[in-house]
Amino acid sequence: MSATTNPPEPGRPWLRIIVRGWLIFVILLATAGFLYENISEARDRRFHPMPGQLIDVGGYKMHVNCSGQGTPAVILDSGLGDSYVSWSKVQPQIAKFTRVCSYDRAGLGYSESSPRPRTSKVMAEELHMLLHDAGISPPYILAGHSMGGYNVRLFHSLYRNEVAGMVLVDSSHPEQEKRFPQALNDLDKTWVREQEFLAFSMPFGIPRLLGFCGNDALVRAADCNFHSAREGLAVLKMFPESAAQAATTGSLGDLPLAVISHDPEVPQPDVPADLVKPMNDAWGQMQDELAHLSTRGTRTIAKNSSHYIQIDRPEVVIGAVRNMVDQARQIQSVPEAKR
């Protein structure tokens, strides 16, 4: 008997049509989102153009925005993921009595991305190059908010002779991860996942469409873009290393130092209610320790202020900076032989 071959089963053209249809739909949707994001970014920046200037710091450009006249110059360093905009209530007032500069760290706001690791030591070195290449001469009063406190401490350790004073605005502490309740540290993983979502979805306009970019057009123009989301994620992942670097900076000696802390009575919407008190207790102790980094350190609690003191109580930050500037000018006016 001769062998017979079964005919091939008929294909399923309807399944292929559905799969191809979904692929085309996804591609069209992603393309539409990409166009929406880029058009929106261009529109925001057209109506709110970049202030200041872009300075080449060795193959990439960083944005610095200076105003006012006089010495010492005040340098404002923002918190994790924040651009120069976070100082918008402070800078115009400081500019009335001295030169003041805010800036965007590489990869944030209007600054181009850097190929270097996103640690505080690297960011301090990049800030130094930016100030030098922009012709902003020392001495400096450094003001750092949140993680920016790590950066200014590293800057001082690297370029000690160029710093005349320091203001730490609710600054991070190198040991905060060890001292916070474990449940609070567990939330860090959630925040990393949220930042990963932003970095992945930003090119397709999803965060903007969901309202994550907020209603402030100035903030959207500077902060709501792909490279800022990617930079924020990179810095967040390197945060433990930046903390370790800050821990090695040691004492500030007799450097004029002002530590400003948030009001522990102000609600913390991002923190579970049962963790607020232990978190604030640990935070208060660490803020006291920061004030003791210098023999001339002081600490102030900004009443009715959240973590963003420069936004909630800008006059407190302005007052601390003015005091630093006055101290630096008094020292400068004393003849060298009498110092």
Side-chain angles (χ1 to χ4, degrees):
M1 177 183 287
S2 61
T4 59
T5 302
N6 293 327
E9 294 185 5
R12 298 180 179 179
W14 57 270
L15 182 59
R16 290 196 295 271
I17 291 172
I18 292 176
V19 171
R20 289 173 182 172
W22 271 108
L23 286 174
I24 292 172
F25 174 75
V26 169
I27 291 172
L28 289 175
L29 192 63
T31 302
F34 180 80
L35 292 173
Y36 164 70
E37 177 62 27
N38 280 269
I39 292 172
S40 297
E41 287 184 21
R43 181 193 60 217
D44 287 341
R45 293 196 167 186
R46 183 171 66 252
F47 289 108
H48 299 276
M50 179 193 76
Q53 56 185 326
L54 290 174
I55 303 296
D56 192 301
V57 292
Y60 52 99
K61 296 179 179 179
M62 292 178 62
H63 169 231
V64 62
N65 177 38
C66 296
S67 52
Q69 299 292 330
T71 60
V74 176
I75 310 302
L76 306 173
D77 203 319
S78 306
L80 195 156
D82 293 330
S83 69
Y84 82 100
V85 178
S86 68
W87 299 102
S88 59
K89 289 187 176 182
V90 168
Q91 182 164 353
Q93 299 304 313
I94 297 176
K96 293 179 180 180
F97 56 85
T98 195
R99 191 179 193 191
V100 55
C101 302
S102 56
Y103 79 108
D104 293 330
R105 292 191 293 271
L108 292 176
Y110 293 94
S111 290
E112 297 175 353
S113 297
S114 165
R116 305 178 66 192
R118 307 321 299 152
T119 66
S120 284
K121 184 175 183 293
V122 168
M123 289 185 276
E125 293 170 345
E126 290 175 335
L127 173 58
H128 189 257
M129 286 190 292
L130 173 64
L131 296 176
H132 178 270
D133 293 347
I136 304 165
S137 301
Y140 308 120
I141 303 294
L142 302 177
H145 171 242
S146 196
M147 184 188 168
Y150 288 169
N151 300 344
V152 298
R153 288 176 63 184
L154 264 297
F155 189 103
H156 174 262
S157 71
L158 294 170
Y159 316 104
R160 188 174 296 264
N161 293 333
E162 298 184 9
V163 181
M166 186 181 297
V167 179
L168 297 178
V169 183
D170 222 33
S171 169
S172 298
H173 187 286
E175 294 188 357
Q176 64 188 49
E177 185 173 349
K178 298 178 184 177
R179 302 199 200 176
F180 280 158
Q182 184 56 46
L184 185 63
N185 290 326
D186 290 341
L187 290 176
D188 289 346
K189 299 176 182 177
T190 301
W191 294 331
V192 169
R193 287 194 294 270
E194 290 175 353
Q195 196 64 42
E196 288 175 336
F197 168 75
L198 289 176
F200 171 78
S201 60
M202 187 67 76
F204 308 108
I206 295 175
R208 187 183 295 269
L209 194 62
L210 295 177
F212 292 169
C213 292
N215 297 319
D216 190 317
L218 184 64
V219 174
R220 285 202 312 269
D223 298 347
C224 192
N225 52 68
F226 166 65
H227 66 82
S228 289
R230 181 181 59 188
E231 174 74 8
L233 176 61
V235 174
L236 186 59
K237 289 184 174 180
M238 298 297 289
F239 190 86
E241 184 170 343
S242 292
Q245 292 174 348
T248 67
T249 58
S251 170
L252 299 176
D254 63 351
L255 182 78
L257 168 67
V259 173
I260 310 173
S261 311
H262 74 262
D263 187 345
E265 300 300 323
V266 172
Q268 303 286 330
D270 296 330
V271 179
D274 60 322
L275 298 179
V276 171
K277 186 179 187 307
M279 182 199 75
N280 279 329
D281 288 346
W283 189 256
Q285 181 180 355
M286 290 186 285
Q287 293 291 294
D288 280 338
E289 292 173 5
L290 291 177
H292 284 91
L293 286 173
S294 169
T295 58
R296 300 171 66 184
T298 64
R299 182 186 172 207
T300 301
I301 296 177
K303 293 296 184 181
N304 302 315
S305 174
S306 68
H307 180 54
Y308 281 84
I309 300 171
Q310 70 272 40
I311 295 176
D312 295 338
R313 294 290 309 281
E315 72 280 3
V316 177
V317 179
I318 295 163
V321 170
R322 181 187 287 274
N323 184 50
M324 287 290 158
V325 170
D326 290 343
Q327 290 186 58
R329 287 175 176 170
Q330 289 173 4
I331 293 174
Q332 288 175 340
S333 66
V334 175
E336 185 71 26
K338 293 184 179 182
R339 294 183 190 175

